[in-house]
Short mmCIF file of all heavy atoms in Angstrom, two decimals:
data_model
loop_
_atom_site.label_atom_id
_atom_site.label_comp_id
_atom_site.label_asym_id
_atom_site.label_seq_id
_atom_site.Cartn_x
_atom_site.Cartn_y
_atom_site.Cartn_z
N PHE F 7 106.12 122.01 51.41
CA PHE F 7 105.85 120.99 52.33
C PHE F 7 107.07 120.76 53.24
O PHE F 7 108.04 120.28 52.70
CB PHE F 7 105.51 119.66 51.52
CG PHE F 7 105.18 118.45 52.38
CD1 PHE F 7 103.91 118.41 52.98
CD2 PHE F 7 106.07 117.43 52.57
CE1 PHE F 7 103.54 117.29 53.73
CE2 PHE F 7 105.71 116.34 53.39
CZ PHE F 7 104.45 116.28 53.93
N SER F 9 109.81 120.42 56.64
CA SER F 9 110.40 119.38 57.54
C SER F 9 109.60 119.42 58.89
O SER F 9 108.85 120.37 59.12
CB SER F 9 111.89 119.71 57.85
OG SER F 9 112.51 120.06 56.60
N HIS F 11 107.59 117.02 59.86
CA HIS F 11 106.44 116.10 59.86
C HIS F 11 106.84 114.76 60.47
O HIS F 11 107.92 114.39 60.58
CB HIS F 11 105.85 115.96 58.49
CG HIS F 11 106.72 115.23 57.57
ND1 HIS F 11 106.95 113.90 57.62
CD2 HIS F 11 107.47 115.65 56.45
CE1 HIS F 11 107.66 113.54 56.61
NE2 HIS F 11 108.11 114.59 55.94
N GLY F 13 106.18 111.67 59.52
CA GLY F 13 106.18 110.54 58.61
C GLY F 13 107.39 109.57 59.01
O GLY F 13 108.40 110.09 59.40
N GLY F 16 111.91 107.45 55.43
CA GLY F 16 111.83 106.73 54.16
C GLY F 16 110.46 106.70 53.62
O GLY F 16 110.16 105.92 52.70
N THR F 21 107.67 112.16 49.92
CA THR F 21 108.44 112.62 48.73
C THR F 21 107.50 113.01 47.57
O THR F 21 107.65 113.92 46.92
CB THR F 21 109.42 111.45 48.27
OG1 THR F 21 110.32 111.20 49.34
CG2 THR F 21 110.06 111.79 46.97
N ARG F 24 105.81 116.31 48.17
CA ARG F 24 106.79 117.46 47.87
C ARG F 24 106.81 117.73 46.37
O ARG F 24 106.76 118.86 45.94
CB ARG F 24 108.24 117.07 48.31
CG ARG F 24 108.47 117.27 49.84
CD ARG F 24 109.94 117.03 50.13
NE ARG F 24 110.82 117.92 49.45
CZ ARG F 24 111.92 117.61 48.89
NH1 ARG F 24 112.41 116.42 48.96
NH2 ARG F 24 112.69 118.52 48.28
N TYR F 50 98.32 119.01 65.85
CA TYR F 50 97.96 120.30 66.39
C TYR F 50 98.91 120.68 67.60
O TYR F 50 99.16 119.88 68.42
CB TYR F 50 96.56 120.26 66.89
CG TYR F 50 95.92 121.67 67.25
CD1 TYR F 50 95.52 122.45 66.29
CD2 TYR F 50 95.85 122.02 68.57
CE1 TYR F 50 94.89 123.74 66.55
CE2 TYR F 50 95.38 123.36 68.88
CZ TYR F 50 94.89 124.16 67.85
OH TYR F 50 94.41 125.34 68.13
N PRO F 51 99.41 121.89 67.74
CA PRO F 51 99.16 123.11 66.96
C PRO F 51 100.13 123.28 65.84
O PRO F 51 100.24 124.43 65.36
CB PRO F 51 99.25 124.22 67.96
CG PRO F 51 100.38 123.74 68.80
CD PRO F 51 100.32 122.25 68.80
N THR F 53 101.79 122.46 61.75
CA THR F 53 101.36 121.94 60.41
C THR F 53 102.63 121.94 59.54
O THR F 53 103.51 122.85 59.70
CB THR F 53 100.32 122.81 59.86
OG1 THR F 53 100.10 122.39 58.49
CG2 THR F 53 100.62 124.32 59.79
N SER F 54 102.67 121.06 58.60
CA SER F 54 103.90 121.02 57.73
C SER F 54 103.48 121.66 56.39
O SER F 54 104.29 121.68 55.48
CB SER F 54 104.32 119.55 57.43
OG SER F 54 104.58 118.94 58.67
N TRP F 55 102.32 122.21 56.33
CA TRP F 55 101.86 122.77 55.04
C TRP F 55 102.06 124.23 54.94
O TRP F 55 101.81 124.95 55.92
CB TRP F 55 100.40 122.48 54.77
CG TRP F 55 100.15 121.03 54.82
CD1 TRP F 55 99.84 120.16 55.90
CD2 TRP F 55 100.05 120.07 53.69
NE1 TRP F 55 99.61 118.90 55.48
CE2 TRP F 55 99.79 118.76 54.24
CE3 TRP F 55 100.17 120.24 52.37
CZ2 TRP F 55 99.60 117.65 53.35
CZ3 TRP F 55 100.13 119.19 51.54
CH2 TRP F 55 99.79 117.87 52.04
N ALA F 180 109.86 107.31 41.75
CA ALA F 180 111.15 107.04 41.04
C ALA F 180 111.24 107.82 39.71
O ALA F 180 112.29 108.33 39.39
CB ALA F 180 111.42 105.52 40.83
N HIS F 182 110.35 110.85 38.69
CA HIS F 182 109.88 112.19 39.22
C HIS F 182 109.48 113.13 37.99
O HIS F 182 108.54 113.86 38.21
CB HIS F 182 110.89 112.74 40.13
CG HIS F 182 112.28 112.95 39.61
ND1 HIS F 182 112.67 114.01 38.94
CD2 HIS F 182 113.35 112.00 39.57
CE1 HIS F 182 114.04 113.78 38.49
NE2 HIS F 182 114.41 112.57 38.96
N LYS F 186 105.77 114.74 37.73
CA LYS F 186 105.55 116.16 37.73
C LYS F 186 104.89 116.59 36.39
O LYS F 186 104.03 117.47 36.39
CB LYS F 186 106.90 116.92 37.86
CG LYS F 186 107.41 116.87 39.19
CD LYS F 186 108.70 117.72 39.34
CE LYS F 186 109.23 117.71 40.69
NZ LYS F 186 110.56 118.58 40.86
N SER F 219 114.53 101.32 54.96
CA SER F 219 113.94 102.56 54.49
C SER F 219 114.63 103.18 53.32
O SER F 219 114.04 104.02 52.58
CB SER F 219 113.97 103.57 55.71
OG SER F 219 115.30 103.73 56.16
N ARG F 227 110.77 102.10 41.65
CA ARG F 227 111.37 101.88 40.25
C ARG F 227 111.15 100.47 39.90
O ARG F 227 110.73 100.17 38.74
CB ARG F 227 112.87 102.19 40.36
CG ARG F 227 113.58 102.19 39.01
CD ARG F 227 115.07 102.58 39.16
NE ARG F 227 115.23 104.01 39.64
CZ ARG F 227 115.79 104.40 40.66
NH1 ARG F 227 116.47 103.57 41.55
NH2 ARG F 227 115.94 105.70 41.01
N THR R 5 92.19 127.16 68.91
CA THR R 5 91.48 128.09 68.16
C THR R 5 90.19 127.45 67.67
O THR R 5 89.96 126.26 67.66
CB THR R 5 92.29 128.48 66.85
OG1 THR R 5 92.65 127.25 66.22
CG2 THR R 5 93.52 129.20 67.22
N ASN R 10 94.64 126.52 62.13
CA ASN R 10 96.12 126.78 62.33
C ASN R 10 96.53 127.98 61.55
O ASN R 10 96.44 127.93 60.33
CB ASN R 10 96.94 125.61 61.99
CG ASN R 10 98.36 125.60 62.49
OD1 ASN R 10 98.98 126.71 62.46
ND2 ASN R 10 98.79 124.48 62.97
N GLY R 14 103.65 126.00 58.05
CA GLY R 14 105.02 125.46 58.15
C GLY R 14 105.51 125.44 59.56
O GLY R 14 106.77 125.34 59.85
N SER R 15 104.56 125.40 60.62
CA SER R 15 105.06 125.45 61.93
C SER R 15 105.58 124.11 62.54
O SER R 15 106.19 124.12 63.57
CB SER R 15 103.93 125.85 62.91
OG SER R 15 102.74 125.12 62.61
N SER R 16 105.53 123.06 61.71
CA SER R 16 106.12 121.77 62.15
C SER R 16 107.68 121.95 62.12
O SER R 16 108.38 121.11 62.69
CB SER R 16 105.73 120.65 61.28
OG SER R 16 106.30 120.70 60.01
N TYR R 19 109.47 121.37 65.29
CA TYR R 19 109.60 120.01 65.83
C TYR R 19 110.73 119.35 65.12
O TYR R 19 110.70 119.10 63.93
CB TYR R 19 108.34 119.19 65.62
CG TYR R 19 108.25 117.90 66.21
CD1 TYR R 19 107.72 117.69 67.58
CD2 TYR R 19 108.63 116.73 65.44
CE1 TYR R 19 107.75 116.45 68.10
CE2 TYR R 19 108.57 115.50 66.12
CZ TYR R 19 108.13 115.34 67.42
OH TYR R 19 108.01 114.15 68.04
N TRP R 24 115.47 111.19 65.68
CA TRP R 24 115.05 109.94 65.37
C TRP R 24 116.17 109.03 64.78
O TRP R 24 116.00 107.78 64.70
CB TRP R 24 113.97 110.00 64.24
CG TRP R 24 112.68 110.61 64.64
CD1 TRP R 24 112.48 111.50 65.73
CD2 TRP R 24 111.46 110.52 63.94
NE1 TRP R 24 111.24 111.97 65.67
CE2 TRP R 24 110.53 111.34 64.65
CE3 TRP R 24 111.07 109.81 62.80
CZ2 TRP R 24 109.19 111.45 64.24
CZ3 TRP R 24 109.67 110.01 62.43
CH2 TRP R 24 108.73 110.74 63.15
N TRP R 43 118.13 115.67 46.99
CA TRP R 43 117.11 116.72 47.39
C TRP R 43 115.79 116.45 46.84
O TRP R 43 114.76 116.42 47.56
CB TRP R 43 117.62 118.10 46.77
CG TRP R 43 116.55 119.05 46.66
CD1 TRP R 43 116.05 119.81 47.66
CD2 TRP R 43 115.72 119.38 45.58
NE1 TRP R 43 114.99 120.64 47.30
CE2 TRP R 43 114.79 120.40 45.94
CE3 TRP R 43 115.68 118.95 44.24
CZ2 TRP R 43 113.82 120.85 45.17
CZ3 TRP R 43 114.64 119.46 43.40
CH2 TRP R 43 113.83 120.39 43.79
N GLN R 44 115.74 115.77 45.60
CA GLN R 44 114.44 115.52 44.95
C GLN R 44 113.76 114.36 45.76
O GLN R 44 112.51 114.39 45.89
CB GLN R 44 114.76 115.02 43.52
CG GLN R 44 113.43 114.75 42.70
CD GLN R 44 112.64 116.02 42.55
OE1 GLN R 44 112.77 116.73 41.62
NE2 GLN R 44 111.64 116.16 43.52
N TYR R 45 114.51 113.33 46.23
CA TYR R 45 113.86 112.23 46.86
C TYR R 45 113.72 112.30 48.36
O TYR R 45 113.12 111.40 48.94
CB TYR R 45 114.65 110.91 46.50
CG TYR R 45 114.51 110.50 45.00
CD1 TYR R 45 115.53 110.27 44.19
CD2 TYR R 45 113.23 110.33 44.40
CE1 TYR R 45 115.50 109.88 42.84
CE2 TYR R 45 113.06 109.97 43.08
CZ TYR R 45 114.17 109.71 42.33
OH TYR R 45 114.09 109.38 41.04
N CYS R 46 114.25 113.25 48.95
CA CYS R 46 114.27 113.32 50.49
C CYS R 46 112.81 113.46 50.90
O CYS R 46 112.20 114.51 50.64
CB CYS R 46 115.18 114.46 50.97
SG CYS R 46 114.95 114.59 52.74
N PRO R 47 112.31 112.60 51.81
CA PRO R 47 110.96 112.73 52.24
C PRO R 47 110.77 113.80 53.30
O PRO R 47 109.65 114.20 53.73
CB PRO R 47 110.58 111.30 52.86
CG PRO R 47 111.84 110.43 52.61
CD PRO R 47 113.00 111.30 52.26
N ASP R 48 111.92 114.32 53.86
CA ASP R 48 111.81 115.21 54.88
C ASP R 48 112.28 116.54 54.62
O ASP R 48 112.52 117.39 55.45
CB ASP R 48 112.65 114.67 56.14
CG ASP R 48 111.85 113.50 56.68
OD1 ASP R 48 110.83 113.68 57.32
OD2 ASP R 48 112.34 112.31 56.51
N SER R 49 112.39 116.88 53.35
CA SER R 49 112.83 118.24 52.88
C SER R 49 114.06 118.65 53.66
O SER R 49 114.18 119.83 54.04
CB SER R 49 111.66 119.26 52.97
OG SER R 49 110.42 118.77 52.75
N LYS R 70 115.95 112.21 59.18
CA LYS R 70 115.68 111.08 60.05
C LYS R 70 116.55 109.82 59.77
O LYS R 70 116.35 108.78 60.33
CB LYS R 70 114.17 110.61 59.74
CG LYS R 70 113.10 111.70 60.22
CD LYS R 70 111.73 111.33 59.79
CE LYS R 70 110.79 112.43 60.15
NZ LYS R 70 109.56 112.36 59.24
N CYS R 72 116.90 108.03 56.79
CA CYS R 72 116.34 106.89 56.09
C CYS R 72 117.33 106.24 55.08
O CYS R 72 117.27 105.11 54.82
CB CYS R 72 115.07 107.32 55.33
SG CYS R 72 115.33 108.47 53.96
N GLU R 78 120.27 106.77 46.33
CA GLU R 78 120.00 107.38 45.00
C GLU R 78 121.04 108.30 44.45
O GLU R 78 120.86 108.84 43.37
CB GLU R 78 118.54 108.07 45.11
CG GLU R 78 117.41 107.15 45.37
CD GLU R 78 117.31 106.08 44.30
OE1 GLU R 78 117.52 106.39 43.09
OE2 GLU R 78 116.96 104.91 44.61
N LYS R 83 126.21 105.88 42.51
CA LYS R 83 125.76 104.83 41.52
C LYS R 83 126.78 104.67 40.43
O LYS R 83 126.80 103.62 39.76
CB LYS R 83 124.46 105.25 40.94
CG LYS R 83 123.31 104.96 41.87
CD LYS R 83 121.91 105.07 41.18
CE LYS R 83 120.80 104.73 42.11
NZ LYS R 83 119.52 104.68 41.39
#
Side-chain angles (χ1 to χ4, degrees):
Chain F
F7 183 73
S9 315
H11 67 74
T21 297
R24 279 187 61 220
Y50 191 81
T53 174
S54 304
W55 301 86
H182 52 92
K186 287 184 179 179
S219 58
R227 190 176 291 125
Chain R
T5 53
N10 193 319
S15 50
S16 70
Y19 189 89
W24 295 19
W43 164 78
Q44 185 64 88
Y45 289 128
C46 176
D48 288 291
S49 320
K70 294 171 188 159
C72 69
E78 294 300 323
K83 283 191 177 189

